[in-house]
Amino acid sequence: MVRLITHNLLACHAKGCNANNFPLQFKDVEIEIREAEFNPDFLRGFLPKIEWKALVDSARQIGDTSLPAEQPEMVDDDFLKSLHHVLLELHIEEGSMTCPNCSHVYPISNGIPNMLLAEHEIA
Amino acid sequence: MASIFEPSLPTPDLSHLTRADYEHVYEPAEDTFLLLDALEKDAQELRQLKPQVCLEIGSGSGCVSSFLGALLPSSSALYLCTDINQHACRCTKATGSQNKVTLEPIIASLASPLQHRLANQIDILVFNPPYVPTTSDEADAAQVTSGISGAWAGGKSGMELTNILLSSVPKLLSPGGRFYLVGVVQNGVEEIRQRMRQAHGLDSEIVLERRAGRERLWVVKFFKAAAPS
Ligand SMILES: C[S@@+](CC[C@H](N)C(=O)[O-])C[C@H]1O[C@@H](n2cnc3c(N)ncnc32)[C@H](O)[C@@H]1O
Ligand SMILES: [Zn+2]
C-alpha cells in the first residue's frame, strides 16, 4: 500500500545520493480510493512528523489539490478531514517513484513499492 | 502451538495463505509465536506508550504486524513492514487485509529507505531475523536471491544481518521507543545486550525464552530512554 503517509517517509538511498533525495516523484500512477477510519488524535500526533511541502506537492502530482500550501496554524476538523483523506485514503496501486537527485526509478506494483537496490547501488 | 501463556488475543487469521505461498515465504513457526507471546506479555506497556510509528523488519507472512495491529487501538498507528522478499510483502499485505489491519509493506532491506525520514521516530521496532548460523557465503547468497533461504541464513553466529541493524537501532528509535528482537542461543544474547549498553546506552530485558525442538529461542527488548519531560 503506497499511501501518501508512507510516501512522505521514503527517501532515495542509492549509493552517494544523500542530498535532494526526497520526495520521490510519482509517475504514471493508478490510484484507488479506500475509506479509512477517521482518527483525529492520530492525525494531530502525526502532523509534526510530516514534511508539509513534500506532502502538498506529491498530492498535487497525483491530482489532489485539497491541502493548503502552508500548514495552517489552526488545526480544525475540516482541515483534519482533508488531511485524513490525502494521507490515508489515496492508495497508489501502480506506477513509479523517481529520485529528484539521481533519477533512480522505484516501481510500484500491486500497491507495493520496490525500494531494493542492486548490490552495486547500495551505499 | 504449545504456549505457556494462554493468549487472550487470537493468532492472526492466516487461512488465505496456501502451501504455494509457503514455498516462497516463511511459515509462522515457534519463533514467530514466541514473539507474539512476548508482545502480548507487554501489551499494557505497549498501549501506554501510545505508539504512532511501528516498523517490522522481515515481516514474512505478516503474522506479527497483524497481531500488533490487533493489540493496539486500531487506526492509532502506522504499521510499516519491510522484507527483501517480494512474495513476503504480498503476503504481508494480504494478511493485513484478512485481519482488518492496514499494513504498509515495502520491498526493502532492513530500514534502508526509511532511515533518513524516520530518525528518532520509530516507537516500536520488531525483527525476527534470519538467525541460523551459516557460512557468510550462504548468507550473502540468500540476501542476493531474496527468496526463502533469506528467512533463516544468518551467516557467522547467525548475526551478520542483525548486526547491521543493531548499529542503527539507536538512531531509529524514538525517545521511549522499544525494539523487540528474536534469536537463538548461538547468537549470544548476553554479548549483544552488553554491546548495546556499552556502545549505544540502550538498556534491555529478556522478555521470554523457550526451547522449541532443537532450538533455544529468546526474545529481547531494548529501550531508548524517554525524553525528559
Ligand atoms: C525468520 S523470518 C520471520 C518472518 C516473520 N516476521 C515471522 O516472524 O514469521 C525472517 C524474514 O526476514 C526477511 N529478510 C531477510 N533478509 C532481510 C533484509 N535484509 N531486510 C528485510 N527483511 C529481510 C526474510 O525474507 C524473512 O521474511
Ligand atoms: Zn537518488
Side-chain angles (χ1 to χ4, degrees):
Chain A
M1 232 94 48
V2 190
R3 298 187 288 176
L4 290 184
I5 192 167
T6 304
H7 171 265
N8 202 262
L9 303 175
L10 294 172
C12 181
H13 56 113
K15 198 176 191 162
C17 190
N18 308 312
N20 187 33
N21 55 351
F22 171 89
L24 303 173
Q25 308 290 308
F26 285 118
K27 227 182 124 205
D28 303 328
V29 293
E30 281 172 34
I31 293 164
E32 269 177 35
I33 296 173
R34 270 176 244 145
E35 242 175 76
E37 188 186 326
F38 179 59
N39 184 334
D41 287 341
F42 171 71
L43 293 165
R44 274 179 220 278
F46 209 88
L47 203 46
K49 304 184 201 298
I50 292 170
E51 287 278 353
W52 189 255
K53 188 174 171 344
L55 178 65
V56 174
D57 290 351
S58 307
R60 290 188 181 172
Q61 250 174 50
I62 62 169
D64 189 298
T65 55
S66 59
L67 294 180
E70 298 291 329
Q71 195 175 316
E73 274 165 36
M74 255 281 290
V75 175
D76 59 17
D77 239 36
D78 274 352
F79 168 69
L80 287 178
K81 291 223 160 98
S82 308
L83 183 65
H84 169 72
H85 178 67
V86 171
L87 276 183
L88 301 172
E89 296 191 321
L90 303 176
H91 294 249
I92 294 99
E93 292 293 322
E94 301 290 330
S96 67
M97 301 180 290
T98 307
C99 171
N101 182 43
C102 76
S103 302
H104 189 95
V105 177
Y106 298 96
I108 300 169
S109 167
N110 295 309
I112 301 174
N114 189 341
M115 303 299 293
L116 277 185
L117 297 167
E119 210 165 1
H120 65 275
E121 300 162 335
I122 297 171
Chain B
M1 165 195 154
S3 173
I4 43 168
F5 293 94
E6 199 51 56
S8 54
L9 261 184
T11 303
D13 179 2
L14 300 170
S15 60
H16 58 292
L17 299 180
T18 64
R19 276 289 122 215
D21 289 318
Y22 294 134
E23 274 171 32
H24 306 287
V25 179
Y26 189 75
E27 180 169 4
E30 290 298 334
D31 48 347
T32 316
F33 300 129
L34 187 67
L35 179 55
L36 299 190
D37 290 345
L39 293 170
E40 176 151 35
K41 187 179 175 201
D42 282 359
Q44 262 329 76
E45 184 187 322
L46 291 175
R47 290 186 192 121
Q48 272 161 14
L49 197 64
K50 293 200 183 3
Q52 289 214 307
V53 179
C54 304
L55 171 62
E56 182 186 5
I57 294 173
S59 57
S61 62
C63 180
V64 177
S65 282
S66 297
F67 187 81
L68 192 59
L71 198 80
L72 299 170
S74 71
S75 84
S76 69
L78 177 66
Y79 300 97
L80 299 162
C81 300
T82 65
D83 204 297
I84 47 165
N85 178 335
Q86 55 169 328
H87 299 289
C89 287
R90 174 176 54 77
C91 291
T92 292
K93 186 180 163 188
T95 299
S97 312
Q98 182 82 2
N99 292 278
K100 305 201 165 37
V101 180
T102 305
L103 302 181
E104 314 268 339
I106 301 166
I107 305 171
S109 181
L110 303 176
S112 304
L114 298 162
Q115 201 109 16
H116 173 71
R117 286 279 292 124
L118 286 184
N120 304 307
Q121 298 287 358
I122 299 177
D123 302 312
I124 302 178
L125 180 65
V126 178
F127 192 21
N128 177 7
Y131 54 65
V132 177
T134 62
T135 64
S136 296
D137 285 350
E138 202 174 345
D140 290 347
Q143 288 291 305
V144 171
T145 51
S146 54
I148 187 74
S149 54
W152 46 268
K156 190 164 177 285
S157 310
M159 283 297 292
E160 286 187 22
L161 188 63
T162 305
N163 276 337
I164 300 174
L165 182 71
L166 283 175
S167 60
S168 55
V169 166
K171 232 174 17 221
L172 289 169
L173 288 184
S174 63
R178 270 142 181 62
F179 169 43
Y180 288 83
L181 176 70
V182 181
V184 284
V185 74
Q186 292 87 342
N187 300 148
V189 67
E190 286 313 320
E191 192 274 326
I192 300 171
R193 295 179 64 194
Q194 195 178 5
R195 174 154 43 105
M196 292 302 276
R197 185 163 48 243
Q198 283 170 356
H200 303 294
L202 293 192
D203 279 328
S204 60
E205 197 181 293
I206 305 265
V207 188
L208 285 176
E209 285 178 283
R210 186 177 299 161
R211 183 185 282 279
R214 269 178 306 158
E215 280 187 336
R216 278 170 59 205
L217 295 157
W218 45 258
V219 176
V220 66
K221 72 174 158 185
F222 297 92
F223 331 72
K224 186 151 153 181
S229 53

